[in-house]
Amino acid sequence: MKASKAKASISYVNKLNVNRWMRGSKGTRYAIPRTVWLTRRSLGSMLRAYRMVYVKPKGGEKGKGVMRARKLQGLRRYELRFNRKTRKAYSVAALHRLIRRHKKSGAYIIQQGIRMMKYRGRSFDIRVMTQRKSTKSSWVMTGMCARVAASGLIVTNTSQGGDVLPVWTVLRANMSRKRARSMTGRIERLSLRIARRYAKKRSRSVVFGVDIAVDRKRRVWMLELNTKPGLVPFRYLKDKSMYRRMLKYRRRK
Ligand SMILES: Nc1ncnc2c1ncn2[C@@H]1O[C@H](COP(=O)(O)OP(=O)(O)O)[C@@H](O)[C@H]1O
Ligand SMILES: [Mg+2]
């Protein structure tokens, strides 16, 4: 009994399964980046298709073990980035060996890379909190914030030195008021569709943290779905109203 309780508190989610589940619904499919298991063959075909891909542990968190691979022009044909390091490789086979040398143990996935919109030269994505008061209530968006990557890093995680800013600030740096308003609406609607879809799999959940990226063509993408999202990023915002709203929602369960 005790052991099963402890297990239930681990926030482990298999990213490939989530991805497949989201692709299975019309309302979310368009926003899901292509994701497959990492093998030498899939590395080659994904790089041919997308030129830039993310390689990450299937059940990772806090941006740990995340790498980015790119196809370049010229002789040194591939580039691998992780932490603050950059390595070059001359072939897919060499790149694959490089990944294997630097990756953590366990299975990895490879995902279509999203060319994220930037704020002051740094990539950002958006954490959207979706909550419901009970498993019978409808899902509500209780807040969103932008997570801006620490400069020189390929991940936006706050635990890796990323900054938290109001979504409005980072969107307005890239588009008009009117566009920013419609973009926040799109992000909210997509996140709610994602929450409702995932709740079909996890019917007892009352909170999800959905990570959305906006690319340079203003398309929206789901990067990750967190089943135990912390409220921490929202505490970094000067305006604490979203944070208070989330706490209130949680208490009323
Ligand atoms: N496909 C992708 N395209 C662009 N950036 C990505 C992609 N996947 C991950 N990232 C970046 O890496 C960060 C960490 O990846 P994520 O899948 O959320 O792993 P973790 O569970 O460790 O947070 C994301 O928040 C985002 O900044
Ligand atoms: Mg994440």
Side-chain angles (χ1 to χ4, degrees):
M1 188 61 204
K2 235 183 182 168
S4 71
K5 247 191 185 162
K7 220 175 185 179
S9 73
I10 296 172
S11 64
Y12 176 81
V13 180
N14 178 328
K15 291 180 197 231
L16 194 58
N17 286 349
V18 177
N19 194 276
R20 284 181 180 153
W21 180 249
M22 291 302 164
R23 277 186 169 261
S25 164
K26 255 202 196 128
T28 50
R29 187 181 304 142
Y30 74 96
I32 309 304
R34 181 109 199 285
T35 309
V36 294
W37 290 119
L38 170 68
T39 64
R40 201 173 86 183
R41 277 187 67 183
S42 69
L43 181 64
S45 61
M46 290 289 278
L47 277 167
R48 267 196 305 281
Y50 303 110
R51 301 186 75 84
M52 192 269 279
V53 297
Y54 268 71
V55 176
K56 39 194 186 180
K58 75 163 183 191
E61 54 161 18
K62 300 189 171 162
K64 284 184 251 169
V66 176
M67 303 180 183
R68 188 179 88 180
R70 234 173 10 132
K71 196 172 189 306
L72 306 172
Q73 314 289 353
L75 206 57
R76 301 183 132 204
R77 276 176 290 188
Y78 301 93
E79 176 201 81
L80 182 70
R81 288 187 58 188
F82 53 98
N83 302 328
R84 291 191 181 277
K85 300 194 182 82
T86 305
R87 297 277 185 276
K88 297 277 167 72
Y90 297 87
S91 64
V92 171
L95 177 67
H96 187 243
R97 280 196 298 275
L98 205 55
I99 291 173
R100 290 187 57 165
R101 197 175 321 137
H102 294 286
K103 81 188 247 307
K104 298 176 190 308
S105 61
Y108 262 60
I109 57 170
I110 176 166
Q111 185 167 72
Q112 169 185 357
I114 306 305
R115 288 170 176 79
M116 289 197 267
M117 203 174 254
K118 294 189 172 184
Y119 176 74
R120 298 195 173 161
R122 296 149 62 191
S123 303
F124 68 83
D125 59 14
I126 293 161
R127 163 60 59 87
V128 185
M129 282 294 261
T130 58
Q131 292 176 268
R132 56 179 174 177
K133 284 179 185 159
S134 78
T135 54
K136 289 184 185 67
S137 328
S138 37
W139 288 90
V140 171
M141 200 269 309
T142 47
M144 50 169 100
C145 64
R147 307 183 310 161
V148 185
S151 68
L153 285 196
I154 57 157
V155 296
T156 54
N157 302 69
T158 314
S159 52
Q160 304 237 8
D163 284 328
V164 179
L165 287 176
V167 172
W168 191 248
T169 307
V170 298
L171 290 183
R172 279 292 283 125
N174 285 281
M175 59 190 81
S176 67
R177 258 168 206 286
K178 195 170 158 222
R179 283 235 160 96
R181 211 175 298 123
S182 88
M183 179 62 76
T184 51
R186 267 165 65 196
I187 293 169
E188 172 170 355
R189 288 190 297 276
L190 172 62
S191 303
L192 287 172
R193 280 200 300 275
I194 287 169
R196 287 194 293 266
R197 170 73 181 158
Y198 203 60
K200 292 208 165 91
K201 206 180 177 72
R202 294 249 190 157
S203 56
R204 281 154 58 198
S205 293
V206 291
V207 58
F208 294 130
V210 187
D211 291 342
I212 302 286
V214 182
D215 74 12
R216 294 178 202 168
K217 291 179 176 161
R218 299 186 178 147
R219 280 190 62 176
V220 288
W221 299 89
M222 181 192 90
L223 288 185
E224 200 195 9
L225 182 137
N226 301 274
T227 52
K228 303 244 160 151
L231 301 188
V232 176
F234 295 92
R235 283 171 61 181
Y236 287 115
L237 292 175
K238 227 179 269 155
D239 177 358
K240 301 280 185 285
S241 57
M242 286 190 255
Y243 177 65
R244 281 197 294 268
R245 190 164 174 216
M246 289 165 198
L247 283 179
K248 213 164 110 193
Y249 243 83
R250 211 158 59 173
R251 258 185 265 120
R252 279 210 215 136
K253 254 195 316 204

